Amino acid sequence: MSDNGPSSFAARLRARERLLGYWVVCDNPVGTERIAGLGYDYVCADGQHGLMAYPGWLSAMTAIDARGVSAGMVRVPANDGYWIGSALDAGARGVIVPLVNDAEEAAAAVAYCRYPPHGVRSYGPMRSALRVGPRPAEADEAVACVVMIETAGALDNLAEICAVPGLDGVYVGPSDLTLALGGRFPGDPDVADAFADATARIAKTAADAGIAAGFHCPDGATAAARLAEGYTFATVSSDLVHLEQAAAAHLKAARSS
């Protein structure tokens, strides 16, 4: 596809192109704007666990669009039409929906992302009309709906979720998935084999259904490994984690003399 810019993001995701993203949790539009110019295919603002409310999503989407490089996404707080509609009205080109357990819940997320007759999204694109759409059919094509696979229910109903019409992708939340598998904490080695089996099955099931499969990763090397395993998009860490890591590394270097 010749156009690799933000406007083609949903189409590229659906085509299972390899995409790399970045995660922001801080309500820091200038920092997000800097990150958005680096070359990531998308930058996702975390509205579930991140340190920002709706005005922060709006500022983040505006900052990302200012660079014209990355597509803006929002992980919404819940599978709810109000939150999903708000994220899309703010200009998100895709949403990541947490804690989806079965096909019915996945179908609801899809419906919240689409205008009638294909969904139930309410028309009021206050900012998104400047970037996405504004005609409903155009907006439906231009935004991506991704649901998270991170619960025991989602694993049990994985094939049915991936087969939901209109769903563009699934996304692994490794921390909650580890807990769902019986882990005591994220990264628990006691469930490492079960985790590896589950993540391999998620990638294969998504591929069989012809939809995208994404993974939340702690660093770029892990993102590369997940893409090599068959995942089609991967997100790298977060601004807050990297801020702390960089500060710690500089402190260590300064003290080493």
Side-chain angles (χ1 to χ4, degrees), residues 45-48 52-57 73-92 94-98 109 112-113 121-122:
D46 189 353
Q48 183 189 20
M52 63 183 85
Y54 173 77
W57 308 358
M73 296 188 78
V74 174
R75 176 166 70 172
V76 293
N79 188 8
D80 180 272
Y82 172 77
W83 291 121
I84 291 173
S86 295
L88 297 178
D89 287 349
V95 291
I96 297 177
V97 183
Y112 296 143
C113 289
R121 180 181 173 188
S122 177

Side-chain angles (χ1 to χ4, degrees), residues 23-101:
W23 202 258
V24 295
V25 302
C26 296
D27 190 357
N28 178 5
V30 176
T32 298
E33 187 176 15
R34 283 180 171 246
I35 290 165
L38 296 177
Y40 288 97
D41 296 295
Y42 62 93
V43 175
C44 185
D46 189 353
Q48 183 189 20
H49 294 302
L51 308 173
M52 63 183 85
Y54 173 77
W57 308 358
L58 180 62
S59 296
M61 295 305 102
T62 304
I64 293 164
D65 278 339
R67 301 303 297 271
V69 175
S70 303
M73 296 188 78
V74 174
R75 176 166 70 172
V76 293
N79 188 8
D80 180 272
Y82 172 77
W83 291 121
I84 291 173
S86 295
L88 297 178
D89 287 349
R93 297 184 185 273
V95 291
I96 297 177
V97 183
L99 300 173
V100 167
N101 295 293

Side-chain angles (χ1 to χ4, degrees), residues 91-198:
R93 297 184 185 273
V95 291
I96 297 177
V97 183
L99 300 173
V100 167
N101 295 293
D102 55 36
E104 183 178 3
E105 292 180 4
V110 172
Y112 296 143
C113 289
R114 315 291 183 221
Y115 290 113
H118 304 294
V120 296
R121 180 181 173 188
S122 177
Y123 189 83
M126 290 299 112
R127 177 177 179 274
S128 64
L130 300 173
R131 299 283 185 178
V132 185
R135 292 182 181 273
E138 295 172 354
D140 286 353
E141 285 297 313
V143 300
C145 180
V146 176
V147 302
M148 296 193 71
I149 304 298
E150 55 182 349
T151 67
L155 285 176
D156 290 342
N157 299 301
L158 180 61
E160 293 82 2
I161 290 172
C162 289
V164 167
L167 183 67
D168 298 309
V170 292
Y171 188 75
V172 174
S175 294
D176 279 319
L177 183 60
T178 299
L179 300 182
L181 291 168
R184 297 162 296 167
F185 48 83
D188 187 349
D190 288 349
V191 297
D193 290 343
F195 183 85
D197 290 344

Side-chain angles (χ1 to χ4, degrees), residues 5 11 16 52 55 57 63 65 85 106 108 144 154 198-199 217 223 231 234 237 240 249 255:
R16 289 175 49 85
M52 63 183 85
W57 308 358
D65 278 339
T199 56
C217 304
Y231 282 85
S237 195
L240 185 63
R255 284 178 169 168

